[in-house]
């Protein structure tokens, strides 16, 4: 009898474990990142796109700025059983600024500059396409710099009726020289002192296609291929590239999908009070 009970409990435990083989952390929302956990040896796909599943069963995916309201995650467990999750993706309202009656733009890059821009865009795209097996993306993110948030993810300007590219990142305004720290562990996949648009630029790889970008830096203090730990200084805020004032542009991408890094951290901490006297 006792043996039978133990067997029953064991069956119940297995059934419970089987009931929730797919754990997801993060909010399904436009610009959001989801970290999942499945039994090791499982396969996963989001809307038909295969996801890298780590040896520990961890994986990730993200939602674009204009992601449609539904996404489908299919997990194939090691025994071949399929689990399907329909995710309702929350919609966001973005800041849209319309400015009409502007004189036509005077600034047209020269053919040499256009060549340079093309080369740099390809370099950045290649860095963001990094698909490494490191599991660091599951760590808890910290703000890379302290300052005033002067730009948010998804905002867009419509100049003379022409929509400009949305702002894919969060801007932190602070004086030139303010330290920029790695938000979690990472490997440097791009370290450039002076790109045409983004000036001093660093891209960090956190694994499985998740990268973060740091732009307009006055100093780039890491080298390509270097591994950095959370909180390590990687550079300093500046006003390099095409900007009007010193700030950090912080971007986050899941491969070709720009995500909202501000969703990965809490509110900006209040500035430290100067010591009395
Ligand atoms: Zn920006």
């Amino acid at each position: 009898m006792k043996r039978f009970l133990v067997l029953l409990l064991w069956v119940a435990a297995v059934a419970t474990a089987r009931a929730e083989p797919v754990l997801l952390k993060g909010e399904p929302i436009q610009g959001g990142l989801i970290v999942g956990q499945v039994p090791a040896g499982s396969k996963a796909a989001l809307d038909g796109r295969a996801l890298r599943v780590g040896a520990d069963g961890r994986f990730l995916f993200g939602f674009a700025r204009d992601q449609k309201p539904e996404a489908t995650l299919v997990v194939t467990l090691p025994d071949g059983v399929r689990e399907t999750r329909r995710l309702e993706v929350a919609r966001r309202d973005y800041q849209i600024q319309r400015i009409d009656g502007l004189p036509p733009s005077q600034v047209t890059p020269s053919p040499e500059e256009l060549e340079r821009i093309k080369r740099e865009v390809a370099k950045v795209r290649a860095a963001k396409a990094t698909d490494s097996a490191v599991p660091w993306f599951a760590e808890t993110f910290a703000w890379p710099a302290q300052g005033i948030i002067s730009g948010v993810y998804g905002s867009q300007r419509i100049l003379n009726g022409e929509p400009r590219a949305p702002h894919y990142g969060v801007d932190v305004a602070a004086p030139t020289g303010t330290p920029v720290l790695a938000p979690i562990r990472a490997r440097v996949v791009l370290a450039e002192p002076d790109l045409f648009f983004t000036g001093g630029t660093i891209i960090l790889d956190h694994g499985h296609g998740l990268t973060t970008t740091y732009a307009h830096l006055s100093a780039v203090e890491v080298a390509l291929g270097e591994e950095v730990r959370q909180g390590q200084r990687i550079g300093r805020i500046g006003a390099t590239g095409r900007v009007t004032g010193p700030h950090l542009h912080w971007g986050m991408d899941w491969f070709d999908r720009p995500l909202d890094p501000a969703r990965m951290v809490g509110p900006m901490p209040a500035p430290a009070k100067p010591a009395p006297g």
Side-chain angles (χ1 to χ4, degrees), residues 216-232:
H216 311 305
L217 304 172
S218 59
V220 170
E221 300 174 317
V222 286
L224 189 64
E226 193 178 330
E227 210 178 291
V228 293
R229 61 182 193 283
Q230 184 182 52
Q232 183 178 331

Side-chain angles (χ1 to χ4, degrees), residues 151-152 167-172 215-216 243 247-250:
V152 296
H167 182 245
Y168 285 126
V170 56
D171 290 338
V172 179
H216 311 305
V243 286
H247 72 276
L248 169 70
H249 171 92
W250 185 30

Side-chain angles (χ1 to χ4, degrees), residues 159-185:
L159 306 181
N160 291 342
E162 270 191 59
R164 295 305 166 110
H167 182 245
Y168 285 126
V170 56
D171 290 338
V172 179
T176 291
T178 302
V180 175
L181 315 175
I184 54 168
R185 197 169 158 191

Side-chain angles (χ1 to χ4, degrees), residues 1 22 38 43 65 72 89 107 113 140 149 209 215 227 247:
M1 184 64 191
V22 182
V38 289
K43 289 189 172 119
R65 176 186 187 266
T72 305
V89 184
V107 191
E113 285 173 332
T140 304
I149 293 171
E227 210 178 291
H247 72 276

